[in-house]
Amino acid sequence: MLGAKEGETKPIPSQENSPARAVTQEWTSQDAWAVYQLPFNDLLFRSQSVHREHFDPNRVQLSRLLNIKTGGCPEDCGYCSQSSHHSTAVAASKLMEVEKIVAEARKAKESGATRYCMGAAWRNPKPRDMDAIVEIVGAVKQLGLETCMTLGMLDRGQADRLSAAGLDYYNHNIDTSERYYPSVISTRTFADRLDTLSHVHEAGMKVCCGGILGMGESEQDRVDMLVTLSNLPKAPESVPINMLIPIAGTPMAKAPPIGPIEFVRIVALARIMMPASFVRLSAGRSAMTDEMQALCFFAGANSIFVGDTLLTAGNPQDEADRKLFRRLGLEAL
């Protein structure tokens, strides 16, 4: 085994961490790293076994994402095209009208999506924005869609209002490990991220939280990001795993890409560490081969974004996804 001395057998991390037990397991960085370093076939066998304990392995959740307010964000996230700190081609816009959002949500449902995610390029919602946001949540829910929003940081009062409006999920990614975080963002702290997640959880909404791979972080940073997520008071119900889309004009435009095997390893580890969560292939699928996506599904990913645009970046066309699903024998959840 890797890391074992000659003639010595290094034990595989205990299989006593069965899926049911793993839901409440507290992970250490050392334990997670040991699982991450398993031989690839062993890692995928374990993650697929965990996946089958909690989900139908041949069904994938389809979500659609709409940018309801684009650009002009005061945060300096090094990967983001919507930051006002970067010279990109994205112009700032006002919050989209409710009627247009509902029309887009209706089209998403007709195309097979069951979850509708809405993002606004804000540091945090202003008091003047909340009435409109609450109206949007109610209107989209009336269509029978599961709702999710990502609006930046929230205080507890804002979280309570969104929960009372019926918002199902709130997305707020931690992006990377606490150690590497200052290399990505300087305008808000890692603790700020965790505070918002706490407000969302305490308000009774489900948490959608993951990160981005390929920003120059180490493999240990990727593992430690998952350790942080899995050790929250409750693991996020939804864990998006993004592959960086390099965007001209951002500080990370020339970041070295993550290798496919390393990406799949993180998907598998996320499934093992958070067995009851949806693990979503998010940004970056347009750069993945069908074979890489197939490995991710086998590793435990069971949610994708459909539609040709994710916020301001490209995404596979619906027909490409339908063709891939047919090839793999997958069905929409």
Side-chain angles (χ1 to χ4, degrees):
M1 306 291 276
L2 290 176
K5 296 179 181 178
E6 185 176 354
E8 175 186 355
T9 299
K10 183 178 179 180
I12 291 175
S14 175
Q15 296 296 325
E16 292 179 3
N17 296 326
S18 65
R21 181 179 173 183
V23 172
T24 57
Q25 175 185 350
E26 183 170 343
W27 286 86
T28 66
S29 180
Q30 182 180 13
D31 288 343
W33 180 252
V35 175
Y36 175 80
Q37 286 190 306
L38 287 172
F40 192 63
N41 286 342
D42 291 345
L43 177 63
L44 262 62
F45 176 79
R46 183 167 172 183
S47 65
Q48 173 66 193
S49 299
V50 170
H51 187 52
R52 287 173 178 266
E53 289 286 335
H54 293 268
F55 295 98
D56 182 331
N58 297 311
R59 301 195 71 187
V60 176
Q61 179 194 62
L62 303 184
S63 302
R64 193 173 287 259
L65 176 62
L66 178 68
N67 210 356
I68 62 174
K69 191 277 174 190
T70 305
C73 182
E75 303 283 14
D76 67 352
C77 307
Y79 51 81
C80 187
S81 64
Q82 301 192 75
S83 170
S84 61
H85 295 260
H86 311 325
S87 299
T88 67
V90 177
S93 72
K94 295 181 179 181
L95 184 65
M96 189 182 293
E97 294 179 356
V98 176
E99 294 77 10
K100 186 172 181 180
I101 294 171
V102 172
E104 293 295 323
R106 187 175 290 109
K107 288 191 291 186
K109 183 177 180 180
E110 291 170 353
S111 69
T114 57
R115 183 169 164 193
Y116 200 63
C117 306
M118 295 160 279
W122 288 325
R123 173 179 170 83
N124 53 276
K126 300 296 189 293
R128 65 175 181 269
D129 303 316
M130 290 303 297
D131 287 345
I133 292 298
V134 166
E135 182 181 357
I136 291 166
V137 172
V140 173
K141 281 190 71 70
Q142 286 183 357
L143 299 177
L145 287 164
E146 201 169 51
T147 53
C148 178
M149 281 193 162
T150 178
L151 312 170
M153 294 185 291
L154 297 179
D155 59 33
R156 179 56 193 276
Q158 291 170 326
D160 285 339
R161 280 202 70 185
L162 291 174
S163 180
L167 187 65
D168 298 297
Y169 283 84
Y170 193 80
N171 167 261
H172 197 64
N173 293 335
I174 59 171
D175 291 339
T176 187
S177 70
E178 185 172 9
R179 185 198 70 80
Y180 192 67
Y181 186 88
S183 300
V184 179
I185 303 161
S186 69
T187 49
R188 76 172 86 170
T189 67
F190 196 78
D192 289 334
R193 299 270 184 175
L194 297 181
D195 285 345
T196 290
L197 296 178
S198 178
H199 295 323
V200 171
H201 173 69
E202 291 171 359
M205 289 180 287
K206 295 178 181 178
V207 171
C208 176
C209 185
I212 305 170
L213 311 184
M215 300 188 293
E217 76 286 346
S218 68
E219 289 182 278
Q220 186 68 61
D221 287 316
R222 299 165 192 160
V223 170
D224 287 346
M225 174 187 73
L226 296 182
V227 171
T228 296
L229 294 177
S230 67
N231 288 338
L232 291 172
K234 183 179 181 182
E237 287 85 354
S238 179
V239 182
I241 305 296
N242 298 272
M243 186 168 72
L244 178 70
I245 300 175
I247 297 174
T250 65
M252 294 182 173
K254 296 184 179 180
I258 181 174
I261 298 300
E262 288 71 29
F263 187 94
V264 175
R265 281 186 175 275
I266 288 297
V267 172
L269 185 61
R271 170 51 65 218
I272 292 167
M273 295 176 68
M274 292 169 279
S277 303
F278 280 93
V279 176
R280 181 186 301 117
L281 290 187
S282 295
R285 283 202 306 121
S286 57
M288 298 180 189
T289 64
D290 284 358
E291 292 76 15
M292 181 179 173
Q293 292 187 71
L295 279 175
C296 287
F297 292 132
F298 186 77
N302 64 338
S303 179
I304 62 171
F305 278 125
V306 292
D308 58 3
T309 303
L310 291 183
L311 297 180
T312 64
N315 197 50
Q317 296 286 333
D318 286 349
E319 180 54 36
D321 285 331
R322 284 192 287 269
K323 182 178 178 181
L324 178 59
F325 273 41
R326 287 195 298 269
R327 292 181 67 195
L328 300 179
L330 299 177
E331 297 179 357
L333 184 65

